[in-house]
Amino acid sequence: MADQKEPEVDYTLNNPDTLTKYKTAATISHKVLEAVSALCVEGEKIVEICQKGDKLLDEEITKVYKGKKILKGVGHPTTVSPSSYVTPYTPLVSETAEAEAVLKAGEIVKIQLGAQIDGFGTIVCDMVVVPKKGAAKEVVTGREADLILATHYANELLLRLMVPPGLLAQGTDEEKKKAAAQKAPTQAHISSLIEKVAKAYEVNVVENTTSWLFGRNEIEGEKKIILSPGNGTRGDGVPEVGEVWGVEIGLSLGSGKVKTLDHRATLHRRTTTTYGLKRPSSRQTLSEIVKKFGTFPFSLRQLDDEKAAKVGIVECVRSGVVRQYEPAGETDGSAVSRLLTTVAITKNGLTKLAAANPVDPEQYKSDKKIEDEEILKILEQPLARSTGNKKNKNKKKTKTTGGDE
């Protein structure tokens, strides 16, 4: 790909162009997320919502960096996951049963999508409680409200735990030095704090919920944070200044345990593995994948010939040149939540590049709340320091959505 032609270019956040590209991609992701969220109404077909979302992504992406030799495209296809689904879901038109799947009123669906500019992807996931067709937006109560509020606060807590120690410290030089000398929280401590939030709302953390270090053309870097790890898995790495992360939180009204669903895997991503594919159909499929998506996730639905792609992808997956994401859901069929935020960590703190809409406290009513003093104290902390009027407004907004109830 193009990233090998100009190795002398600085692609880190030290280069202002990098952050500009991330922010441009994020603006597109937010705009399409808002449009797709509005499409999520009772009775609407999931596959049609995904198709419209992808079309909007393509249209918005073509409007930026016109005439410049910069690779740009979809950083994550539009996925709309029903209530009990843990992983992003993007059905195919050619799968008759799945193509007929519609949204049900009252269920919590997760919308995930993203754009990428020059290999800098901003992926975002938000949740929508599906409204009844033609009805006004209703106040969400009961267990659904518990789940959404728990997810909101768990997400805000996790983001604050990713800010490097001492980065936003106030006071004397000695106090700042002392704060900077503190060790970042361990992944076990992070997990335990998130689990306390979940417990306050009587929900569970979805096992193996993973946040990844992002890089150019890479959304699963060497560093990762795993919440509620299972099967011997473990995270590795501490967030640092100059990094971009995809921060994920997932909670469940059930056990939090995950099972593979009996559906075709439709979400894929090219790997760095090279292999001489034998079938012409496989080579044609891989060629289209490389050209359109690089190493970013895609749906088979986005390829020119969906039915041919279903044939061509088989050898690509078997040989390891393409990875398929197995569809997974909550083992007992309970509702699960998911938020994914793309963040940049700079010397001024943490910036939400692509994030879910702030939770409206008037929209969700729960009789549960967080009472743990350590957690409440962390939630009161800002994500970034004020560096001017515009950023000051962002900071105030963050504090409003991130405090206790």
Side-chain angles (χ1 to χ4, degrees):
M1 291 183 68
D3 54 318
Q4 296 179 341
K5 295 179 181 178
E6 300 174 344
E8 73 281 358
V9 176
D10 180 3
Y11 290 116
T12 70
L13 291 181
N14 291 328
N15 183 346
D17 286 347
T18 295
L19 193 55
T20 298
K21 289 169 184 173
Y22 269 121
K23 287 181 176 179
T24 302
T27 298
I28 294 170
S29 298
H30 280 143
K31 185 172 184 178
V32 178
L33 175 65
E34 188 176 346
V36 172
S37 297
L39 296 173
C40 292
V41 178
E42 178 187 19
E44 291 298 316
K45 289 184 178 180
I46 294 175
V47 69
E48 291 180 0
I49 296 171
C50 291
Q51 287 175 312
K52 290 174 182 176
D54 289 343
K55 185 170 182 284
L56 282 170
L57 278 170
D58 287 333
E59 288 173 355
E60 293 301 319
I61 289 163
T62 59
K63 296 177 184 177
V64 299
Y65 288 92
K66 287 184 175 180
K68 296 186 179 180
K69 292 183 178 180
I70 288 178
L71 290 174
K72 55 185 180 175
V74 174
H76 193 287
T78 305
T79 60
V80 178
S81 306
S83 228
S84 64
Y85 284 50
V86 171
T87 52
Y89 178 62
T90 171
L92 304 182
V93 177
S94 58
E95 296 283 315
T96 309
E98 291 188 54
E100 293 301 315
V102 298
L103 297 180
K104 298 168 186 172
E107 73 172 328
I108 298 172
V109 298
K110 288 78 66 179
I111 303 164
Q112 185 161 317
L113 54 84
Q116 64 89 5
I117 304 295
D118 199 19
F120 300 111
T122 54
I123 302 172
V124 62
C125 179
D126 198 1
M127 300 175 292
V128 172
V129 178
V130 178
K132 293 178 182 176
K133 197 158 194 174
K137 198 172 184 181
E138 296 179 357
V139 172
V140 179
T141 59
R143 297 297 283 143
E144 287 77 15
D146 293 343
L147 181 62
I148 288 173
L149 288 170
T151 308
H152 165 69
Y153 290 120
N155 184 57
E156 292 294 331
L157 178 67
L158 179 56
L159 292 173
R160 281 156 178 78
L161 292 170
M162 294 187 66
V163 178
L167 188 65
L168 305 178
Q170 303 290 323
T172 65
D173 289 343
E174 187 65 30
E175 288 171 329
K176 290 179 182 177
K177 190 176 179 181
K178 185 179 178 182
Q182 292 179 348
K183 287 188 176 179
T186 64
Q187 297 210 11
H189 186 49
I190 291 172
S191 267
S192 70
L193 289 173
I194 298 295
E195 283 164 9
K196 282 183 181 180
V197 174
K199 189 176 180 181
Y201 286 90
E202 298 178 11
V203 299
N204 285 299
V205 180
V206 174
E207 63 178 338
N208 295 324
T209 296
T210 307
S211 298
W212 293 92
L213 173 69
F214 280 7
R216 186 168 184 254
N217 297 313
E218 181 55 81
I219 58 165
E220 293 182 7
E222 293 180 0
K223 291 184 182 182
K224 58 186 175 182
I225 295 172
I226 302 179
L227 302 176
S228 193
N231 304 322
T233 58
R234 54 170 292 181
D236 184 28
V238 174
E240 297 177 77
V241 172
E243 295 178 344
V244 172
W245 283 71
V247 183
E248 184 172 68
I249 194 80
L251 301 180
S252 169
L253 288 180
S255 66
K257 301 299 180 184
V258 176
K259 67 175 180 181
T260 300
L261 298 173
D262 187 23
H263 292 308
R264 174 189 291 273
T266 62
L267 190 66
H268 296 76
R269 180 174 174 242
R270 185 167 70 90
T271 69
T272 54
T273 300
T274 54
Y275 179 84
L277 297 172
K278 296 177 175 60
R279 293 174 175 270
S281 61
S282 307
R283 293 196 294 271
Q284 183 177 343
T285 298
L286 181 62
S287 176
E288 187 180 353
I289 290 167
V290 172
K291 182 180 177 182
K292 284 186 174 180
F293 311 110
T295 54
F296 286 95
F298 62 92
S299 165
L300 293 180
R301 193 190 61 254
Q302 294 172 288
L303 298 175
D304 290 341
D305 187 330
E306 187 180 292
K307 290 183 178 179
K310 285 161 69 174
V311 175
I313 201 70
V314 175
E315 187 186 3
C316 295
V317 171
R318 194 169 55 228
S319 63
V321 298
V322 170
R323 170 191 170 186
Q324 71 177 23
Y325 293 87
E326 299 295 342
E330 161 65 72
T331 51
D332 62 12
S334 296
V336 296
S337 63
R338 188 173 72 252
L339 294 177
L340 178 60
T341 312
T342 301
V343 302
I345 305 172
T346 71
K347 63 182 181 181
N348 291 316
L350 188 146
T351 300
K352 293 179 182 179
L353 295 170
N357 288 316
V359 165
D360 179 1
E362 297 301 315
Q363 192 63 36
Y364 303 95
K365 299 295 182 183
S366 169
D367 58 0
K368 302 173 180 65
K369 63 179 181 178
I370 301 164
E371 295 180 332
D372 185 283
E373 290 299 327
E374 181 184 6
I375 292 170
L376 291 174
K377 190 175 179 181
I378 296 170
L379 285 171
E380 288 175 356
Q381 297 171 5
L383 286 173
R385 67 166 56 92
S386 173
T387 55
N389 291 335
K390 185 178 179 183
K391 292 184 180 179
N392 195 40
K393 289 178 184 175
N394 290 339
K395 175 190 164 191
K396 287 177 181 176
K397 184 178 180 182
T398 301
K399 288 192 73 175
T400 300
T401 59
D404 62 74
E405 291 180 61

